[in-house]
Amino acid sequence: MIIAIDGPAASGKGTLGKRIAEHYRLAYLDTGSLYRAVARDVLGQGHDPADPATALASAKALDASTLGDPALRAPGLGEAASLVASFPEVRQALLAYQRAFARPRPGAVLDGRDIGTVICPDAQVKLFVTATPEERARRRYRELTQAGIPISEAEVLADIRRRDERDRSRAAAPLRQAADAYLLDTTNLDIDAAFTAAIDMIDTAMGRAGHAS
Ligand code: DC
């Protein structure tokens, strides 16, 4: 079974994705880490993430064993990742890795922006996880300050709005809800409530597909 989870930055899809994968004993891939790793490599070589040629070279040379690097979560990398992710050739270079990750049995949970629409359009279950920009900024701000990263909530909100706008309006695989995705608005839900709601949706979808969950 493949579970596709899409949504904007800091919507809770990563935390949910991990818990859902544990619950169903599936592999889990945070596809944002691919774009973040490309951005890290571009910046690390002193290049500009707005330059498609260097972004493509880094995407082609990406070492997947570095995807768990905690440095990938640094706030500045989100913006650079959104920039490199806007290039169709970069997305194309990362496509095969994501599809190959999803393929082996018993399946996988992938989260990102275009999983239900482009990477795994045949996923058995699709969730679109969202929350208001203000609530997402509050959550991300809390995480960053707890991790000792000095930043203001206003800066976090501005970053979220900028990335939302770029991720939604780009021509290549823009962020959008797939027609057959369940919408999960977590604005007023804590993580346990969001997880319960997600499991209900997934079990309902699997029941409809004629599988036991
Ligand atoms: O989910 P995240 O914040 O770690 O993602 C960082 C950026 O990567 C995000 O702003 C857009 C891009 N991204 C994407 O375009 N497609 C994906 N499947 C995942 C992330």
Side-chain angles (χ1 to χ4, degrees):
M1 129 158 120
I2 295 176
I3 302 177
I5 306 179
D6 289 303
S11 56
K13 60 189 190 315
T15 310
L16 269 178
K18 254 177 252 144
R19 282 186 63 171
I20 290 169
E22 273 165 28
H23 181 82
Y24 294 103
R25 296 176 197 278
L26 299 170
Y28 167 69
L29 180 64
D30 158 15
T31 65
S33 68
L34 295 166
Y35 298 94
R36 285 174 179 267
V38 170
R40 172 202 58 199
D41 295 347
V42 169
L43 292 170
Q45 290 158 20
H47 294 301
D48 179 358
D51 170 30
T54 49
L56 176 60
S58 292
K60 284 185 169 165
L62 187 65
D63 175 0
S65 72
T66 67
L67 295 179
D69 179 1
L72 293 181
R73 303 312 309 166
L77 271 189
E79 171 68 9
S82 169
L83 269 170
V84 300
S86 67
F87 302 128
E89 55 273 47
V90 169
R91 307 197 68 84
Q92 184 61 35
L94 300 175
L95 185 98
Y97 177 83
Q98 295 172 80
R99 290 206 175 137
F101 185 94
R103 206 172 298 126
R105 287 180 175 277
V109 177
L110 285 83
D111 84 53
R113 303 292 188 289
D114 62 340
I115 308 303
T117 52
V118 175
I119 305 294
C120 301
D122 298 329
Q124 283 82 354
V125 189
K126 299 179 187 178
L127 304 182
F128 191 82
V129 182
T130 190
T132 61
E134 291 77 12
E135 178 56 25
R136 290 187 278 127
R138 244 189 311 277
R139 291 177 192 162
R140 184 50 57 84
Y141 171 70
R142 215 179 301 132
E143 264 171 40
L144 293 171
T145 45
Q146 275 168 9
I149 296 169
I151 194 159
S152 74
E153 195 170 323
E155 277 175 85
V156 177
L157 179 58
D159 172 66
I160 280 180
R161 287 193 192 283
R162 197 167 45 238
R163 280 209 281 150
D164 279 2
E165 174 57 26
R166 187 185 298 110
D167 296 346
R168 286 197 173 109
S169 62
R170 68 183 177 216
L175 167 66
R176 66 178 175 82
Q177 182 179 349
D180 51 352
Y182 287 85
L183 177 64
L184 177 54
D185 185 336
T186 67
T187 305
N188 297 308
L189 303 179
D190 65 16
I191 182 61
D192 287 334
F195 175 68
T196 303
I199 295 298
D200 278 353
M201 288 171 176
I202 296 166
D203 287 346
T204 303
M206 294 313 289
R208 279 202 195 126
H211 296 271
S213 54

